[in-house]
Every structure is written in C-alpha cells, then in structure tokens.
C-alpha cells in the first residue's frame, strides 16, 4: 500500500489493484489527477457534508474516466449537498456494502456523518471522519449533568456526555474488529489542551499497524506530531506528515 496525504483529512491510498480516495476537500499540490489516470478502479469516500470533508468537485472526475465508485455518507444527501444519483452507495451508521473487491462498514461519529472501516486486498483501513473526543479540554472542569459554554464552538456543551458518546462509538467499532493496518484520525491542536486524548483512547483499544494524523491544517503539521510520543509508548508506527503530497509505503 502507498498512502499519499492530500490536504486536511484527505488521502489517497493506492493498493495493488485499486485506489481509494478519502474526504477530498482541496488539492493544493495536484496530488489526485495522476491517480485518476491509472488503470485501476477508484473508490471515493466522503464521511460527511462539512465542506472540509466533502467537495462536489469529486463528481467531475467521472467525466474524465470510468470505473469510479462513490461511497458517501447519507447526511451529504440529507443536507442537499449532492443529489441522490450522484453517489453509487449512500451509507449511514450501521450500513454495509461490498462489491466483492471491497467491503465497507459505516460507523458512528461524534459530529456529522460517519467513520469508515474498509477491507480490501487483505488489509483493514479506518478513516475516522470527524469521530473524536472534541471537548476533551473541558473535562477537568466538567460537572456531571451540567453544561459549559464554549466560545470556540459558541454553544453550551456537556463534555462528559460527549466523551461517553465517543467511547460508545469505539465500543461499536470493536464489535466489528479490534485491529487495523492503517488508522487515519483527527489530531487537531485547535481544540486546546487534551487534543490528543481521542487518539490516545483509540490506540488503547485497538491494534494499529500505522497511525496517521489528520485534520491539523489550522494548527500546523508539527502540532500533530505530538501524538507520536503516545504511539511510541504502544510501539505503534506513526507518520509524521510534513507536507501535502507526501507519501508513505506501508
């Protein structure tokens, strides 16, 4: 497998016989076009409707070539970001799909849409979408049953309930599998102290062949590298991404 970082939470994973594209938003370095020219089937995933995870430009690719399968979260359609006929497969949490080459499970999120488990060519991949313990920095001051106002999110939040939901989603994932060859997961310094907590809770519960940070654009590449000290403790390889278009052979 060769994994290429596109931007934000966007990646291209090239297998021996297929190409997977996850959560395409922007492609500042022209990473994707060369992959579309390859003679391999392409599977395109979008985890939810937020503009930093879904871009309607993906549908232009089908004008360039055949053999593209679009596998999208149902919330994209529900929020009228795409038409029903735009995707080959629409999945919500609990949904599954297979074409004999690839098998896909849609799992939950603590934001919008879904997270993805993908099995293909003997490998198991996880892309978290926006699944994370987003309000971790509020936990030390949280009181059970009470909310805290967040200026960043401009809403009253219950960090304890949110963490409970997050850990519940991880339990649901473990009902399907406890190991992944590759995990792509948000490590976003913008959310403040504890921004690695969700990632740490994930690696405590799953066997991970390679941990790949994402969703760190606003806080910078090096902010995501903080996670490495925790993956090192678990003897899990970590990809210190340093630029768009960078690749790693797995």
């Amino acid at each position: 497998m060769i994994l290429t970082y596109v931007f934000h939470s966007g990646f291209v994973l090239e297998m021996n016989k297929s190409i997977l594209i996850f959560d395409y938003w922007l492609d500042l370095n022209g990473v994707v076009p060369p992959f579309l020219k390859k003679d391999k089937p392409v599977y395109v995933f979008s985890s939810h409707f937020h503009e930093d995870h879904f871009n309607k430009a993906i549908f232009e690719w089908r004008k360039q070539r055949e053999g593209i399968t679009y596998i999208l979260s149902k919330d994209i359609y529900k929020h009228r970001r795409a038409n029903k006929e735009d995707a080959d497969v629409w999945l919500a949490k609990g949904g599954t799909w297979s074409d004999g080459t690839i098998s896909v499970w849609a799992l939950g999120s603590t934001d919008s849409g879904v997270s993805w488990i993908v099995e293909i060519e003997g490998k198991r991949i996880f892309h978290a979408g926006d699944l994370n313990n987003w309000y971790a920095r509020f936990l030390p001051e949280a009181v059970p049953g009470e909310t805290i106002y967040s200026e960043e999110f401009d809403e009253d939040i219950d960090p304890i309930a949110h963490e409970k939901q997050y850990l519940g989603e991880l339990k649901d994932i473990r009902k399907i599998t406890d190991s992944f060859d590759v995990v792509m997961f948000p490590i976003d310094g913008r959310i403040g102290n504890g921004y690695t907590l969700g990632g740490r809770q994930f690696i405590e519960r799953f066997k991970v062949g390679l941990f790949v940070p994402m969703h760190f654009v606003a806080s910078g590449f090096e902010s995501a590298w903080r996670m490495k000290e925790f993956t090192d403790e678990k003897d899990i390889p970590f990809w210190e991404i340093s630029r768009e278009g960078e690749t790693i052979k797995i």
Side-chain angles (χ1 to χ4, degrees):
M1 296 186 289
I2 297 177
L3 185 63
T4 303
Y5 175 64
V6 181
F7 187 75
H8 195 59
S9 298
F11 295 88
V12 178
L13 181 62
E14 183 172 11
M15 313 293 292
N16 289 329
K17 299 178 181 179
S18 357
I19 293 170
L20 285 60
I21 302 176
F22 292 95
D23 279 20
Y24 178 92
W25 174 27
L26 300 175
D27 185 2
L28 305 178
N29 284 22
V31 171
V32 172
F35 289 100
L36 298 178
K37 295 178 182 179
K38 297 193 177 189
D39 188 21
K40 296 181 180 182
V42 175
Y43 297 91
V44 179
F45 296 83
S46 295
S47 65
H48 61 288
F49 78 98
H50 292 167
E51 66 175 10
D52 59 336
H53 290 259
F54 169 73
N55 187 333
K56 289 182 180 179
I58 61 176
F59 301 129
E60 296 296 316
W61 299 342
R62 60 161 54 106
K63 298 178 182 178
Q64 304 172 34
R65 55 160 293 164
E66 297 179 346
I68 300 181
T69 302
Y70 293 90
I71 305 168
L72 307 186
S73 168
K74 280 187 177 180
D75 76 307
I76 295 171
Y77 172 64
K78 290 179 179 177
H79 284 84
R80 300 182 180 179
R81 295 293 313 283
N83 299 317
K84 196 166 187 178
E85 63 271 18
D86 287 331
D88 300 280
V89 183
W90 293 101
L91 293 177
K93 179 182 177 180
T96 62
W97 179 81
S98 177
D99 66 357
T101 297
I102 189 171
S103 296
V104 180
W105 290 259
L107 279 301
S109 176
T110 43
D111 198 338
S112 294
V114 301
S115 51
W116 302 113
I117 295 176
V118 179
E119 287 189 357
I120 186 168
E121 297 183 30
K123 303 295 183 182
R124 188 178 298 123
I125 316 301
F126 183 74
H127 188 287
D130 265 353
L131 173 67
N132 197 4
N133 193 342
W134 290 110
Y135 304 140
R137 84 171 186 85
F138 297 101
L139 287 170
E141 57 192 276
V143 176
E146 295 184 7
T147 60
I148 298 173
Y149 176 71
S150 166
E151 292 184 359
E152 300 99 318
F153 298 99
D154 190 26
E155 62 180 325
D156 293 316
I157 58 175
D158 184 338
I160 294 176
H162 183 271
E163 181 178 61
K164 184 177 180 180
Q165 179 195 359
Y166 171 66
L167 297 178
E169 299 294 355
L170 298 189
K171 286 183 180 179
D172 288 341
I173 295 168
R174 278 187 61 93
K175 291 175 184 176
I176 297 173
T177 183
D178 66 353
S179 65
F180 296 99
D181 294 285
V182 181
V183 168
M184 291 161 273
F185 195 93
I187 303 295
D188 190 337
R190 294 178 302 170
I191 64 176
N193 292 338
Y195 71 92
T196 61
L197 180 59
R200 285 182 276 143
Q201 290 169 324
F202 191 95
I203 64 174
E204 287 170 357
R205 289 162 173 79
F206 297 92
K207 300 173 185 176
V208 177
L210 175 68
F211 189 97
V212 179
M214 65 182 191
H215 213 283
F216 52 74
V217 167
S219 51
F221 290 97
E222 293 186 9
S223 68
W225 301 349
R226 171 72 191 284
M227 186 66 196
K228 187 176 185 301
E229 67 181 85
F230 305 107
T231 55
D232 283 351
E233 290 177 2
K234 299 288 185 179
D235 198 27
I236 296 172
F238 179 85
W239 186 16
E240 294 178 78
I241 304 172
S242 60
R243 60 179 176 82
E244 289 85 9
E246 188 172 357
T247 65
I248 187 171
K249 189 173 182 180
I250 307 166

